[in-house]
Amino acid sequence: MAQIKPSLAKGTRDFSPLEMEKRNYIFDTIKTVFKKYGYQEIQTPSFENLQTLTGKYGDEGDKLIFKILNSGDFIAKISPEKYTTLNANSLTPLIAEKALRYDLTVPFARYVVMHQNDITLPFKRFQIQPVWRADRPQKGRYREFYQCDVDVVGSESLLNEAEFILIYKEALTNLGLRDFTIKLNNRKLLAGIADIIGKPDLLIDMTVAIDKLDKIGLDGVKKELISKGFDDADLAKLDPIISLSGSNSDKLATLKQVLKDSEVGQKGLEEVDMVLTYVSKLEAPALDNVEVDITLARGLNYYTGSIFEVKTNEVAMGSIGGGGRYDDLTGMFGLKGLTGVGISFGADRIYDVLSELNLFPESTTKGTQVLLTNFDQSAEDFALQLLHSFRRKGIASEFYPTTAKLKKQLSYADQKKIPYVVMLGTEEVSSGVLTLKNMTTGEQQKMSKEELLNIF
RNA sequence: GUGGUUUUAGCUCAGUUGGUUAGAGCGCCUGAUUGUGGUUCAGGAGGUCGUGGGUUCGAGCCCCAUAUUCCACCCCA
């Protein structure tokens, strides 16, 4: 076989031991909080039937789904006449029946429907697994990345939303982040705004444009709105909304005025207010991190109520988390009337943020504690017994697998940061006096096997 | 999908208007030290300059294509 140059697929990464330690620290921290709030873990397969995924993320999303080519001679199953009528879009379902999961929410919805007889509502689950997107990589954006999702299905209570805010606050704080904003919006507020302008069909265009305020400024937003079909009278009505500012209660007060003639808008206001009220009852200080932001446009294709997005203010990075409520989460799989709400942490972006801020703890796990040297074949039996004794005591230990120069073995211990080395050769075996070297101080101590084992 | 950018030793990077044998630091190996790491000193190995074409007497450097990195847009964690 021809030798090929080793390389990674675009947008993917290897994780070395040191990186895995840090990644696991993030997963463990988040997982601990999830459990504390009563969520149970599930996993679903890396790939789903393509049908399960398509049509759930909008046209843009569908393009970013990684499809898996069918096995076998799939081309033979398409008649030549039919083939000529196909384009890239219509050909795909004929040659790819499976696809890598794009997020964890849709597979979860499928899971709920398939296991509806086994689960009790409300069902609170968390899930930490990789997802794949055929996007072009850039800062904080990978083609394979981990999401940490918590969702609850079958509960309309806004208490869930409030608890998600607390979960964000607690997990991110535990990870060492200090300055982050949990943005809160509600689809019904946006619908209300589109309502009073009288252009409910343009809801998404309107929100997407307003969402760009930070990037393109007020004039840019107005320009985009006009290009989407809004007129000057609409802009006049939108103006107080786009430039909404002040505290959360200020914003809600202004919105109350603006939306007084919209039923759905009023409902949205009530919901936002209720979420904030619950947070204040559970843990009022968390409100400091919450910002009502009606420009938040995330996931408009599917969210129906609350919308969340989390950003760190300490480094420039896209959102490190997001989520929201779907009134009919499982409807697309035939189970009607089941509401779901959930949030997600972007573990890979959080990793990048913690790296940049130097927030990883010194060392999060303990490696090998003792290395038994190997420079003498005749000492092997003795060494293996000792190794076994260490391991029986639960001490992470290694026997250097081949006879080699002591220099090399000590370098190995040094590099792996193994704190203790036991010198073992013919001399030690015959005398029964072992030498323990402390790699930090360089000190050596002579002792019997029993004494040695008692130290650990 | 659109635009820009990057690629030279294991790693991080120099490399002049196109001109002899492509360099440095770190790492690695050997020795000083036949059973003592991390420090020090001496020496050594390691490169089809991302890949494929082209221009030229001559290409790491110029041109074309392609892959890849990073960045912005779209969108998103």
Side-chain angles (χ1 to χ4, degrees), chain A residues 26 45 54 79 124 150 171 179 267 273 300 326 338 340 348 355 379 384 415 435:
Chain A
I26 294 174
T54 42
S79 67
K124 298 170 79 172
V150 250
D179 187 8
K267 182 87 178 84
D273 194 54
L300 276 177
Y326 312 67
L338 206 50
D348 301 79
S355 288
L384 291 178
Q415 206 153 31
T435 303

Side-chain angles (χ1 to χ4, degrees), chain A residues 89-152:
Chain A
N89 276 336
S90 55
L91 176 64
T92 303
L94 300 177
I95 63 172
E97 288 160 359
K98 306 171 288 301
L100 292 174
R101 75 164 98 76
Y102 176 90
D103 71 356
L104 300 179
T105 308
V106 168
F108 175 54
R110 176 199 52 73
Y111 175 96
V112 168
V113 175
M114 287 183 71
H115 296 82
Q116 53 185 293
N117 294 325
D118 311 319
I119 61 184
T120 343
L121 298 177
F123 181 53
K124 298 170 79 172
R125 86 86 173 76
F126 76 88
Q127 188 171 354
I128 298 177
Q129 288 191 279
V131 302
W132 294 269
R133 294 184 188 177
D135 211 346
R136 199 179 281 206
Q138 54 175 282
K139 181 170 176 137
R141 178 178 297 191
Y142 306 100
R143 296 180 113 179
E144 177 184 60
F145 62 97
Y146 276 70
Q147 288 193 327
C148 313
D149 270 36
V150 250
D151 291 83
V152 49

